[in-house]
Amino acid sequence: MSYTGPEFETPQPRRPRRGPLTVALAALVPGALLGWVVYEAVGGGGSDHAASAASASGTSAVPSSHSSPSTDSASPSGSGGASAGDGKDTAGGSGPLAGKVVVIDPGHNQGNFQHATEINQQVDIGTNQKECDTTGTSTDAGYTEARFTLDVAHRLRTLLEKQGATVKMTRDGDSPAWGPCVDQRAHIGNTAHADAAISIHADGAAQGDRGFHVILPGSVHAGAADTRKILGPSRDLGTRIAGNFLRATGEPPSNYVGKGTGLVTRTDLGGLNLSTVPKVFIECGNMRDSKDSALLTSGAWRQKAAQGMSDGIVSFLRES
């Protein structure tokens, strides 16, 4: 995913990283890492780290409609696009998160490529009108963001269910056929009264731009959007996810947004603006960078990514 907004600095064309910027980033990133180490020592929590990693999936030269080899299969539910239902949920069992509801939003949809008219319709995100959804990005070899996000979402769902959580997905398998629209994705979390919600993405920035970042909601009070009550809880959730994601994956914080903190605040994303529950987005890496791409296409690394997200969510919910 790659958007711009009033609180998001648009990445400029990259130049060889040999100047003062390199020194500045080198100084910022260790500081961010140290801060997270301290944070994890005093507030981190985690789930079972023994979850087995699935094998890496292949890539395709063009966007494919079938799932990654390591993606869970799921039965279709609901209809396509913004008219989709309230998501597919799975009941939790016993465990520390029994009674907690988590909504997982796998960004984009493989079917969006065949539904350009539908996803380009404008929806209200509070601050302005915006496209219903987008196709997302892909690696140079054609592994799409939509396939990546659904694969990681399945892995995360499994980990959270082991902790006893009830998990609801905004999309699963081939359902809906496209979308849902960004306002509907927020609606699914709101109607579920989710204790935490996460939207999973991967970025499409320039080669040489690397690392992950967690996107936090900014203060919005306009139209149907009012994020004021979720700002604090969402920041707590995002900080915990960032720290645990770093620890689990070894992926560094972004070197092109966030000033080395791995945290970015935005007010241009409908999925955040319209949320009434604690929610964050995570950009797991840059699909257009060769080093990040090698990680994002690895099933073993995607399992680590899911584990880091799960640990952050579990930590947040145990404290909430």
Side-chain angles (χ1 to χ4, degrees):
M1 180 185 75
S2 181
Y3 295 115
T4 58
E7 294 190 25
F8 184 70
E9 182 179 350
T10 306
Q12 299 300 313
R14 309 305 300 170
R15 298 185 296 273
R17 301 177 182 278
R18 294 290 186 271
L21 179 58
T22 304
V23 177
L25 286 170
L28 283 168
V29 173
L33 303 190
L34 178 59
W36 270 322
V37 169
V38 174
Y39 167 79
E40 285 299 303
V42 298
S47 55
D48 181 13
H49 286 273
S52 61
S55 60
S57 72
T59 58
S60 138
V62 295
S64 168
S65 61
H66 31 247
S67 302
S68 163
S70 52
T71 297
D72 302 332
S73 60
S75 346
S77 63
S79 57
S83 60
D86 286 337
K88 178 181 178 61
D89 63 337
T90 52
S94 59
L97 298 188
K100 299 291 187 180
V101 177
V102 179
V103 168
I104 303 175
D105 175 31
H108 310 287
N109 188 321
Q110 195 70 21
N112 286 357
F113 291 96
Q114 287 76 47
H115 292 274
T117 300
E118 292 88 344
I119 67 170
N120 282 321
Q121 63 183 297
Q122 298 290 297
V123 299
D124 184 5
I125 67 167
T127 52
N128 58 284
Q129 298 282 311
K130 197 164 186 178
E131 302 95 336
C132 156
D133 203 5
T134 64
T135 58
T137 188
S138 67
T139 66
D140 289 342
Y143 181 59
T144 64
E145 182 181 359
R147 290 175 63 194
F148 167 81
T149 62
L150 188 59
D151 177 88
V152 175
H154 286 156
R155 296 168 188 269
L156 176 57
R157 177 177 63 185
T158 298
L159 292 169
L160 291 172
E161 287 175 344
K162 287 181 180 178
Q163 297 289 314
T166 295
V167 178
K168 187 178 288 283
M169 303 267 286
T170 61
R171 69 177 182 93
D172 203 358
D174 295 326
S175 178
W178 52 271
C181 293
V182 294
D183 56 343
Q184 178 69 9
R185 292 174 190 260
H187 176 73
I188 291 170
N190 297 345
T191 56
H193 303 290
D195 296 287
I198 183 170
S199 188
I200 302 171
H201 291 266
D203 215 351
Q207 168 69 28
D209 290 342
R210 285 204 61 201
F212 78 92
H213 62 281
V214 174
I215 305 174
L216 312 173
S219 182
V220 176
H221 184 212
D226 188 353
T227 62
R228 292 174 294 180
K229 290 183 179 179
I230 67 165
L231 292 179
S234 296
R235 175 166 286 276
D236 185 20
L237 172 64
T239 301
R240 291 173 187 268
I241 290 174
N244 282 282
F245 190 87
L246 171 68
R247 183 182 64 184
T249 65
E251 175 78 345
S254 169
N255 64 6
Y256 58 100
V257 292
K259 299 180 180 178
T261 66
L263 299 173
V264 174
T265 299
R266 291 174 63 172
T267 59
D268 64 313
L269 299 176
L272 294 180
N273 287 3
L274 300 175
S275 181
T276 59
V277 300
K279 184 175 182 179
V280 298
F281 280 40
I282 183 168
E283 298 279 5
C284 297
N286 177 17
M287 299 194 97
R288 292 297 186 175
D289 175 75
S290 57
K291 292 181 180 178
D292 273 3
S293 174
L295 299 176
L296 297 167
T297 54
S298 162
W301 188 89
R302 293 196 298 272
Q303 186 66 32
K304 293 178 182 178
Q307 186 70 62
M309 294 177 207
S310 174
D311 289 349
I313 293 169
V314 170
S315 172
F316 171 76
L317 293 179
R318 282 177 171 170
E319 298 286 331
S320 63

mmCIF file of all heavy atoms in Angstrom, residues 187-237:
data_model
loop_
_atom_site.group_PDB
_atom_site.id
_atom_site.type_symbol
_atom_site.label_atom_id
_atom_site.label_comp_id
_atom_site.label_asym_id
_atom_site.label_seq_id
_atom_site.Cartn_x
_atom_site.Cartn_y
_atom_site.Cartn_z
ATOM 1 N N HIS A 187 -16.266 -0.621 9.342
ATOM 2 C CA HIS A 187 -17.576 -0.985 9.887
ATOM 3 C C HIS A 187 -17.556 -2.388 10.488
ATOM 4 O O HIS A 187 -18.183 -2.646 11.533
ATOM 5 C CB HIS A 187 -18.627 -0.890 8.781
ATOM 6 C CG HIS A 187 -19.994 -1.332 9.190
ATOM 7 N ND1 HIS A 187 -20.805 -0.590 10.025
ATOM 8 C CD2 HIS A 187 -20.692 -2.472 8.888
ATOM 9 C CE1 HIS A 187 -21.945 -1.239 10.218
ATOM 10 N NE2 HIS A 187 -21.907 -2.374 9.535
ATOM 11 N N ILE A 188 -16.858 -3.308 9.853
ATOM 12 C CA ILE A 188 -16.785 -4.684 10.354
ATOM 13 C C ILE A 188 -16.169 -4.714 11.755
ATOM 14 O O ILE A 188 -16.669 -5.388 12.656
ATOM 15 C CB ILE A 188 -15.998 -5.577 9.382
ATOM 16 C CG1 ILE A 188 -16.803 -5.774 8.092
ATOM 17 C CG2 ILE A 188 -15.671 -6.934 10.007
ATOM 18 C CD1 ILE A 188 -16.038 -6.447 6.970
ATOM 19 N N GLY A 189 -15.101 -3.972 11.947
ATOM 20 C CA GLY A 189 -14.492 -3.901 13.273
ATOM 21 C C GLY A 189 -15.396 -3.239 14.291
ATOM 22 O O GLY A 189 -15.482 -3.664 15.454
ATOM 23 N N ASN A 190 -16.087 -2.188 13.865
ATOM 24 C CA ASN A 190 -16.959 -1.447 14.779
ATOM 25 C C ASN A 190 -18.145 -2.293 15.233
ATOM 26 O O ASN A 190 -18.475 -2.330 16.424
ATOM 27 C CB ASN A 190 -17.474 -0.173 14.106
ATOM 28 C CG ASN A 190 -16.357 0.797 13.767
ATOM 29 O OD1 ASN A 190 -15.237 0.685 14.258
ATOM 30 N ND2 ASN A 190 -16.648 1.757 12.901
ATOM 31 N N THR A 191 -18.800 -2.966 14.284
ATOM 32 C CA THR A 191 -19.979 -3.766 14.640
ATOM 33 C C THR A 191 -19.606 -5.006 15.439
ATOM 34 O O THR A 191 -20.433 -5.530 16.190
ATOM 35 C CB THR A 191 -20.760 -4.182 13.385
ATOM 36 O OG1 THR A 191 -19.899 -4.884 12.493
ATOM 37 C CG2 THR A 191 -21.341 -2.963 12.676
ATOM 38 N N ALA A 192 -18.368 -5.461 15.299
ATOM 39 C CA ALA A 192 -17.892 -6.600 16.098
ATOM 40 C C ALA A 192 -17.519 -6.169 17.510
ATOM 41 O O ALA A 192 -17.240 -7.006 18.363
ATOM 42 C CB ALA A 192 -16.682 -7.241 15.428
ATOM 43 N N HIS A 193 -17.495 -4.848 17.756
ATOM 44 C CA HIS A 193 -17.026 -4.307 19.043
ATOM 45 C C HIS A 193 -15.650 -4.896 19.380
ATOM 46 O O HIS A 193 -15.409 -5.365 20.494
ATOM 47 C CB HIS A 193 -18.035 -4.598 20.158
ATOM 48 C CG HIS A 193 -19.400 -4.065 19.879
ATOM 49 N ND1 HIS A 193 -19.689 -2.713 19.881
ATOM 50 C CD2 HIS A 193 -20.564 -4.705 19.558
ATOM 51 C CE1 HIS A 193 -20.972 -2.533 19.593
ATOM 52 N NE2 HIS A 193 -21.519 -3.722 19.381
ATOM 53 N N ALA A 194 -14.786 -4.862 18.382
ATOM 54 C CA ALA A 194 -13.466 -5.481 18.527
ATOM 55 C C ALA A 194 -12.669 -4.838 19.656
ATOM 56 O O ALA A 194 -12.720 -3.622 19.867
ATOM 57 C CB ALA A 194 -12.688 -5.355 17.217
ATOM 58 N N ASP A 195 -11.952 -5.677 20.370
ATOM 59 C CA ASP A 195 -11.033 -5.181 21.394
ATOM 60 C C ASP A 195 -9.747 -4.680 20.761
ATOM 61 O O ASP A 195 -9.027 -3.869 21.350
ATOM 62 C CB ASP A 195 -10.735 -6.292 22.400
ATOM 63 C CG ASP A 195 -11.981 -6.724 23.159
ATOM 64 O OD1 ASP A 195 -12.440 -5.957 24.016
ATOM 65 O OD2 ASP A 195 -12.504 -7.823 22.866
ATOM 66 N N ALA A 196 -9.449 -5.163 19.571
ATOM 67 C CA ALA A 196 -8.291 -4.707 18.797
ATOM 68 C C ALA A 196 -8.529 -5.056 17.344
ATOM 69 O O ALA A 196 -9.153 -6.078 17.030
ATOM 70 C CB ALA A 196 -6.997 -5.354 19.296
ATOM 71 N N ALA A 197 -8.038 -4.210 16.448
ATOM 72 C CA ALA A 197 -8.155 -4.462 15.010
ATOM 73 C C ALA A 197 -6.836 -4.102 14.347
ATOM 74 O O ALA A 197 -6.175 -3.134 14.731
ATOM 75 C CB ALA A 197 -9.292 -3.652 14.401
ATOM 76 N N ILE A 198 -6.456 -4.899 13.348
ATOM 77 C CA ILE A 198 -5.207 -4.644 12.627
ATOM 78 C C ILE A 198 -5.437 -4.857 11.141
ATOM 79 O O ILE A 198 -6.088 -5.818 10.730
ATOM 80 C CB ILE A 198 -4.064 -5.554 13.134
ATOM 81 C CG1 ILE A 198 -2.744 -5.223 12.410
ATOM 82 C CG2 ILE A 198 -4.421 -7.032 12.997
ATOM 83 C CD1 ILE A 198 -1.525 -5.901 13.020
ATOM 84 N N SER A 199 -4.938 -3.927 10.340
ATOM 85 C CA SER A 199 -4.998 -4.031 8.886
ATOM 86 C C SER A 199 -3.589 -4.313 8.380
ATOM 87 O O SER A 199 -2.660 -3.553 8.653
ATOM 88 C CB SER A 199 -5.539 -2.730 8.286
ATOM 89 O OG SER A 199 -5.772 -2.873 6.904
ATOM 90 N N ILE A 200 -3.439 -5.417 7.652
ATOM 91 C CA ILE A 200 -2.120 -5.894 7.241
ATOM 92 C C ILE A 200 -1.828 -5.466 5.805
ATOM 93 O O ILE A 200 -2.658 -5.653 4.905
ATOM 94 C CB ILE A 200 -2.038 -7.426 7.367
ATOM 95 C CG1 ILE A 200 -2.330 -7.855 8.809
ATOM 96 C CG2 ILE A 200 -0.672 -7.937 6.916
ATOM 97 C CD1 ILE A 200 -2.494 -9.358 8.979
ATOM 98 N N HIS A 201 -0.636 -4.905 5.600
ATOM 99 C CA HIS A 201 -0.238 -4.407 4.286
ATOM 100 C C HIS A 201 1.251 -4.648 4.053
ATOM 101 O O HIS A 201 1.988 -5.048 4.956
ATOM 102 C CB HIS A 201 -0.513 -2.904 4.172
ATOM 103 C CG HIS A 201 -1.969 -2.566 4.136
ATOM 104 N ND1 HIS A 201 -2.665 -2.411 2.956
ATOM 105 C CD2 HIS A 201 -2.866 -2.360 5.137
ATOM 106 C CE1 HIS A 201 -3.933 -2.135 3.227
ATOM 107 N NE2 HIS A 201 -4.083 -2.092 4.546
ATOM 108 N N ALA A 202 1.682 -4.374 2.824
ATOM 109 C CA ALA A 202 3.097 -4.280 2.475
ATOM 110 C C ALA A 202 3.218 -3.094 1.525
ATOM 111 O O ALA A 202 2.297 -2.825 0.747
ATOM 112 C CB ALA A 202 3.605 -5.556 1.821
ATOM 113 N N ASP A 203 4.331 -2.381 1.580
ATOM 114 C CA ASP A 203 4.453 -1.124 0.854
ATOM 115 C C ASP A 203 4.977 -1.341 -0.562
ATOM 116 O O ASP A 203 5.488 -2.424 -0.898
ATOM 117 C CB ASP A 203 5.372 -0.174 1.626
ATOM 118 C CG ASP A 203 4.939 1.276 1.491
ATOM 119 O OD1 ASP A 203 4.043 1.562 0.681
ATOM 120 O OD2 ASP A 203 5.493 2.134 2.209
ATOM 121 N N GLY A 204 4.866 -0.288 -1.368
ATOM 122 C CA GLY A 204 5.357 -0.321 -2.737
ATOM 123 C C GLY A 204 6.213 0.900 -3.021
ATOM 124 O O GLY A 204 5.909 1.674 -3.925
ATOM 125 N N ALA A 205 7.265 1.076 -2.233
ATOM 126 C CA ALA A 205 8.144 2.237 -2.361
ATOM 127 C C ALA A 205 9.320 1.907 -3.293
ATOM 128 O O ALA A 205 9.348 0.860 -3.944
ATOM 129 C CB ALA A 205 8.645 2.662 -0.979
ATOM 130 N N ALA A 206 10.300 2.792 -3.344
ATOM 131 C CA ALA A 206 11.432 2.627 -4.258
ATOM 132 C C ALA A 206 12.429 1.594 -3.750
ATOM 133 O O ALA A 206 12.515 1.314 -2.545
ATOM 134 C CB ALA A 206 12.139 3.972 -4.437
ATOM 135 N N GLN A 207 13.192 1.025 -4.677
ATOM 136 C CA GLN A 207 14.291 0.132 -4.317
ATOM 137 C C GLN A 207 15.238 0.875 -3.378
ATOM 138 O O GLN A 207 15.566 2.036 -3.603
ATOM 139 C CB GLN A 207 15.039 -0.306 -5.588
ATOM 140 C CG GLN A 207 16.367 -1.011 -5.338
ATOM 141 C CD GLN A 207 16.210 -2.388 -4.706
ATOM 142 O OE1 GLN A 207 15.199 -3.051 -4.890
ATOM 143 N NE2 GLN A 207 17.212 -2.806 -3.951
ATOM 144 N N GLY A 208 15.653 0.218 -2.331
ATOM 145 C CA GLY A 208 16.519 0.856 -1.336
ATOM 146 C C GLY A 208 15.757 1.343 -0.126
ATOM 147 O O GLY A 208 16.328 1.502 0.952
ATOM 148 N N ASP A 209 14.453 1.575 -0.279
ATOM 149 C CA ASP A 209 13.589 1.881 0.866
ATOM 150 C C ASP A 209 13.251 0.556 1.528
ATOM 151 O O ASP A 209 12.667 -0.324 0.892
ATOM 152 C CB ASP A 209 12.304 2.575 0.418
ATOM 153 C CG ASP A 209 12.545 3.987 -0.084
ATOM 154 O OD1 ASP A 209 13.606 4.543 0.222
ATOM 155 O OD2 ASP A 209 11.668 4.515 -0.791
ATOM 156 N N ARG A 210 13.589 0.437 2.797
ATOM 157 C CA ARG A 210 13.412 -0.847 3.486
ATOM 158 C C ARG A 210 12.738 -0.652 4.829
ATOM 159 O O ARG A 210 12.680 0.438 5.380
ATOM 160 C CB ARG A 210 14.771 -1.518 3.730
ATOM 161 C CG ARG A 210 15.438 -2.148 2.542
ATOM 162 C CD ARG A 210 16.388 -3.234 3.014
ATOM 163 N NE ARG A 210 15.672 -4.292 3.736
ATOM 164 C CZ ARG A 210 16.249 -5.149 4.591
ATOM 165 N NH1 ARG A 210 17.537 -5.052 4.849
ATOM 166 N NH2 ARG A 210 15.528 -6.080 5.194
ATOM 167 N N GLY A 211 12.250 -1.753 5.371
ATOM 168 C CA GLY A 211 11.780 -1.766 6.747
ATOM 169 C C GLY A 211 10.268 -1.697 6.881
ATOM 170 O O GLY A 211 9.542 -1.430 5.923
ATOM 171 N N PHE A 212 9.801 -1.927 8.100
ATOM 172 C CA PHE A 212 8.378 -1.915 8.399
ATOM 173 C C PHE A 212 7.988 -0.614 9.083
ATOM 174 O O PHE A 212 8.826 0.093 9.636
ATOM 175 C CB PHE A 212 8.018 -3.090 9.326
ATOM 176 C CG PHE A 212 8.375 -2.853 10.769
ATOM 177 C CD1 PHE A 212 7.459 -2.293 11.660
ATOM 178 C CD2 PHE A 212 9.642 -3.171 11.253
ATOM 179 C CE1 PHE A 212 7.792 -2.053 12.987
ATOM 180 C CE2 PHE A 212 9.982 -2.942 12.578
ATOM 181 C CZ PHE A 212 9.050 -2.373 13.450
ATOM 182 N N HIS A 213 6.717 -0.299 9.050
ATOM 183 C CA HIS A 213 6.197 0.762 9.901
ATOM 184 C C HIS A 213 4.742 0.493 10.248
ATOM 185 O O HIS A 213 4.001 -0.122 9.471
ATOM 186 C CB HIS A 213 6.369 2.155 9.284
ATOM 187 C CG HIS A 213 5.673 2.404 7.992
ATOM 188 N ND1 HIS A 213 6.159 1.969 6.770
ATOM 189 C CD2 HIS A 213 4.515 3.066 7.705
ATOM 190 C CE1 HIS A 213 5.354 2.361 5.797
ATOM 191 N NE2 HIS A 213 4.331 3.020 6.344
ATOM 192 N N VAL A 214 4.372 0.898 11.442
ATOM 193 C CA VAL A 214 3.004 0.767 11.938
ATOM 194 C C VAL A 214 2.340 2.134 11.823
ATOM 195 O O VAL A 214 2.920 3.148 12.230
ATOM 196 C CB VAL A 214 2.986 0.275 13.396
ATOM 197 C CG1 VAL A 214 1.570 0.286 13.958
ATOM 198 C CG2 VAL A 214 3.590 -1.123 13.498
ATOM 199 N N ILE A 215 1.140 2.172 11.248
ATOM 200 C CA ILE A 215 0.426 3.429 11.028
ATOM 201 C C ILE A 215 -0.643 3.593 12.114
ATOM 202 O O ILE A 215 -1.499 2.718 12.299
ATOM 203 C CB ILE A 215 -0.218 3.472 9.641
ATOM 204 C CG1 ILE A 215 0.838 3.223 8.554
ATOM 205 C CG2 ILE A 215 -0.904 4.817 9.417
ATOM 206 C CD1 ILE A 215 0.269 3.095 7.148
ATOM 207 N N LEU A 216 -0.568 4.716 12.812
ATOM 208 C CA LEU A 216 -1.498 5.032 13.889
ATOM 209 C C LEU A 216 -2.532 6.036 13.405
ATOM 210 O O LEU A 216 -2.230 6.888 12.562
ATOM 211 C CB LEU A 216 -0.741 5.636 15.078
ATOM 212 C CG LEU A 216 0.513 4.905 15.553
ATOM 213 C CD1 LEU A 216 1.215 5.731 16.623
ATOM 214 C CD2 LEU A 216 0.157 3.528 16.077
ATOM 215 N N PRO A 217 -3.757 5.997 13.936
ATOM 216 C CA PRO A 217 -4.736 7.006 13.553
ATOM 217 C C PRO A 217 -4.376 8.371 14.128
ATOM 218 O O PRO A 217 -3.901 8.472 15.262
ATOM 219 C CB PRO A 217 -6.044 6.483 14.170
ATOM 220 C CG PRO A 217 -5.612 5.621 15.308
ATOM 221 C CD PRO A 217 -4.298 5.013 14.891
ATOM 222 N N GLY A 218 -4.583 9.406 13.332
ATOM 223 C CA GLY A 218 -4.423 10.767 13.822
ATOM 224 C C GLY A 218 -5.753 11.280 14.344
ATOM 225 O O GLY A 218 -6.787 10.617 14.224
ATOM 226 N N SER A 219 -5.730 12.455 14.924
ATOM 227 C CA SER A 219 -6.946 13.039 15.485
ATOM 228 C C SER A 219 -7.829 13.575 14.366
ATOM 229 O O SER A 219 -7.453 14.506 13.660
ATOM 230 C CB SER A 219 -6.589 14.156 16.464
ATOM 231 O OG SER A 219 -7.758 14.687 17.047
ATOM 232 N N VAL A 220 -8.997 12.972 14.206
ATOM 233 C CA VAL A 220 -9.952 13.372 13.182
ATOM 234 C C VAL A 220 -11.323 13.519 13.833
ATOM 235 O O VAL A 220 -11.781 12.619 14.550
ATOM 236 C CB VAL A 220 -10.037 12.329 12.041
ATOM 237 C CG1 VAL A 220 -11.115 12.717 11.042
ATOM 238 C CG2 VAL A 220 -8.694 12.187 11.347
ATOM 239 N N HIS A 221 -11.961 14.636 13.584
ATOM 240 C CA HIS A 221 -13.339 14.842 14.047
ATOM 241 C C HIS A 221 -14.055 15.616 12.952
ATOM 242 O O HIS A 221 -14.136 16.839 12.968
ATOM 243 C CB HIS A 221 -13.354 15.616 15.371
ATOM 244 C CG HIS A 221 -14.730 15.781 15.947
ATOM 245 N ND1 HIS A 221 -15.102 16.878 16.691
ATOM 246 C CD2 HIS A 221 -15.826 14.983 15.873
ATOM 247 C CE1 HIS A 221 -16.373 16.751 17.049
ATOM 248 N NE2 HIS A 221 -16.828 15.614 16.569
ATOM 249 N N ALA A 222 -14.513 14.858 11.964
ATOM 250 C CA ALA A 222 -15.141 15.470 10.785
ATOM 251 C C ALA A 222 -16.074 14.469 10.144
ATOM 252 O O ALA A 222 -15.710 13.298 9.966
ATOM 253 C CB ALA A 222 -14.078 15.901 9.780
ATOM 254 N N GLY A 223 -17.272 14.912 9.791
ATOM 255 C CA GLY A 223 -18.220 14.016 9.154
ATOM 256 C C GLY A 223 -18.494 12.800 10.013
ATOM 257 O O GLY A 223 -18.770 12.909 11.209
ATOM 258 N N ALA A 224 -18.375 11.623 9.411
ATOM 259 C CA ALA A 224 -18.631 10.378 10.139
ATOM 260 C C ALA A 224 -17.421 9.911 10.945
ATOM 261 O O ALA A 224 -17.495 8.895 11.638
ATOM 262 C CB ALA A 224 -19.036 9.289 9.153
ATOM 263 N N ALA A 225 -16.333 10.630 10.863
ATOM 264 C CA ALA A 225 -15.101 10.204 11.535
ATOM 265 C C ALA A 225 -14.895 10.922 12.858
ATOM 266 O O ALA A 225 -15.025 12.146 12.944
ATOM 267 C CB ALA A 225 -13.900 10.462 10.618
ATOM 268 N N ASP A 226 -14.564 10.164 13.884
ATOM 269 C CA ASP A 226 -14.205 10.730 15.185
ATOM 270 C C ASP A 226 -13.278 9.748 15.880
ATOM 271 O O ASP A 226 -13.708 8.757 16.472
ATOM 272 C CB ASP A 226 -15.445 10.981 16.041
ATOM 273 C CG ASP A 226 -15.114 11.745 17.327
ATOM 274 O OD1 ASP A 226 -13.911 11.956 17.604
ATOM 275 O OD2 ASP A 226 -16.064 12.109 18.050
ATOM 276 N N THR A 227 -11.988 10.007 15.775
ATOM 277 C CA THR A 227 -10.989 9.075 16.313
ATOM 278 C C THR A 227 -10.533 9.429 17.725
ATOM 279 O O THR A 227 -9.664 8.759 18.276
ATOM 280 C CB THR A 227 -9.739 9.056 15.404
ATOM 281 O OG1 THR A 227 -9.159 10.375 15.384
ATOM 282 C CG2 THR A 227 -10.089 8.631 13.983
ATOM 283 N N ARG A 228 -11.100 10.467 18.309
ATOM 284 C CA ARG A 228 -10.541 10.987 19.555
ATOM 285 C C ARG A 228 -10.481 9.948 20.675
ATOM 286 O O ARG A 228 -9.512 9.905 21.439
ATOM 287 C CB ARG A 228 -11.337 12.218 20.003
ATOM 288 C CG ARG A 228 -11.147 13.425 19.081
ATOM 289 C CD ARG A 228 -12.051 14.582 19.449
ATOM 290 N NE ARG A 228 -13.472 14.255 19.242
ATOM 291 C CZ ARG A 228 -14.464 15.102 19.497
ATOM 292 N NH1 ARG A 228 -14.194 16.311 19.985
ATOM 293 N NH2 ARG A 228 -15.714 14.742 19.265
ATOM 294 N N LYS A 229 -11.474 9.078 20.756
ATOM 295 C CA LYS A 229 -11.504 8.102 21.845
ATOM 296 C C LYS A 229 -10.543 6.938 21.633
ATOM 297 O O LYS A 229 -10.218 6.229 22.587
ATOM 298 C CB LYS A 229 -12.930 7.567 22.029
ATOM 299 C CG LYS A 229 -13.895 8.588 22.599
ATOM 300 C CD LYS A 229 -15.274 7.966 22.816
ATOM 301 C CE LYS A 229 -16.239 8.987 23.417
ATOM 302 N NZ LYS A 229 -17.613 8.401 23.615
ATOM 303 N N ILE A 230 -10.116 6.730 20.396
ATOM 304 C CA ILE A 230 -9.250 5.564 20.144
ATOM 305 C C ILE A 230 -7.774 5.933 19.976
ATOM 306 O O ILE A 230 -6.944 5.048 19.768
ATOM 307 C CB ILE A 230 -9.726 4.775 18.901
ATOM 308 C CG1 ILE A 230 -9.531 5.593 17.611
ATOM 309 C CG2 ILE A 230 -11.161 4.324 19.058
ATOM 310 C CD1 ILE A 230 -9.637 4.768 16.340
ATOM 311 N N LEU A 231 -7.443 7.212 20.052
ATOM 312 C CA LEU A 231 -6.055 7.623 19.817
ATOM 313 C C LEU A 231 -5.095 6.968 20.800
ATOM 314 O O LEU A 231 -4.073 6.387 20.404
ATOM 315 C CB LEU A 231 -5.927 9.142 19.892
ATOM 316 C CG LEU A 231 -6.610 9.941 18.778
ATOM 317 C CD1 LEU A 231 -6.405 11.432 19.001
ATOM 318 C CD2 LEU A 231 -6.075 9.522 17.414
ATOM 319 N N GLY A 232 -5.385 7.072 22.096
ATOM 320 C CA GLY A 232 -4.493 6.501 23.106
ATOM 321 C C GLY A 232 -4.381 4.996 23.009
ATOM 322 O O GLY A 232 -3.262 4.451 22.932
ATOM 323 N N PRO A 233 -5.513 4.265 23.017
ATOM 324 C CA PRO A 233 -5.434 2.805 22.901
ATOM 325 C C PRO A 233 -4.776 2.338 21.607
ATOM 326 O O PRO A 233 -4.029 1.356 21.609
ATOM 327 C CB PRO A 233 -6.900 2.368 22.958
ATOM 328 C CG PRO A 233 -7.600 3.474 23.671
ATOM 329 C CD PRO A 233 -6.881 4.732 23.277
ATOM 330 N N SER A 234 -5.027 3.042 20.515
ATOM 331 C CA SER A 234 -4.420 2.641 19.240
ATOM 332 C C SER A 234 -2.908 2.843 19.264
ATOM 333 O O SER A 234 -2.155 2.018 18.727
ATOM 334 C CB SER A 234 -5.037 3.434 18.078
ATOM 335 O OG SER A 234 -6.407 3.146 17.933
ATOM 336 N N ARG A 235 -2.450 3.928 19.877
ATOM 337 C CA ARG A 235 -1.009 4.147 19.993
ATOM 338 C C ARG A 235 -0.364 3.052 20.840
ATOM 339 O O ARG A 235 0.713 2.547 20.519
ATOM 340 C CB ARG A 235 -0.706 5.525 20.575
ATOM 341 C CG ARG A 235 0.788 5.770 20.833
ATOM 342 C CD ARG A 235 1.103 7.227 21.079
ATOM 343 N NE ARG A 235 1.047 7.973 19.824
ATOM 344 C CZ ARG A 235 2.066 8.050 18.974
ATOM 345 N NH1 ARG A 235 3.209 7.427 19.206
ATOM 346 N NH2 ARG A 235 1.944 8.756 17.864
ATOM 347 N N ASP A 236 -1.018 2.678 21.931
ATOM 348 C CA ASP A 236 -0.508 1.601 22.778
ATOM 349 C C ASP A 236 -0.439 0.301 21.989
ATOM 350 O O ASP A 236 0.580 -0.406 22.000
ATOM 351 C CB ASP A 236 -1.418 1.450 24.001
ATOM 352 C CG ASP A 236 -0.899 0.438 25.008
ATOM 353 O OD1 ASP A 236 0.315 0.123 24.976
ATOM 354 O OD2 ASP A 236 -1.696 -0.039 25.837
ATOM 355 N N LEU A 237 -1.513 -0.018 21.273
ATOM 356 C CA LEU A 237 -1.540 -1.223 20.455
ATOM 357 C C LEU A 237 -0.432 -1.195 19.411
ATOM 358 O O LEU A 237 0.317 -2.168 19.244
ATOM 359 C CB LEU A 237 -2.903 -1.333 19.771
ATOM 360 C CG LEU A 237 -3.072 -2.434 18.719
ATOM 361 C CD1 LEU A 237 -2.937 -3.812 19.349
ATOM 362 C CD2 LEU A 237 -4.432 -2.292 18.011
#
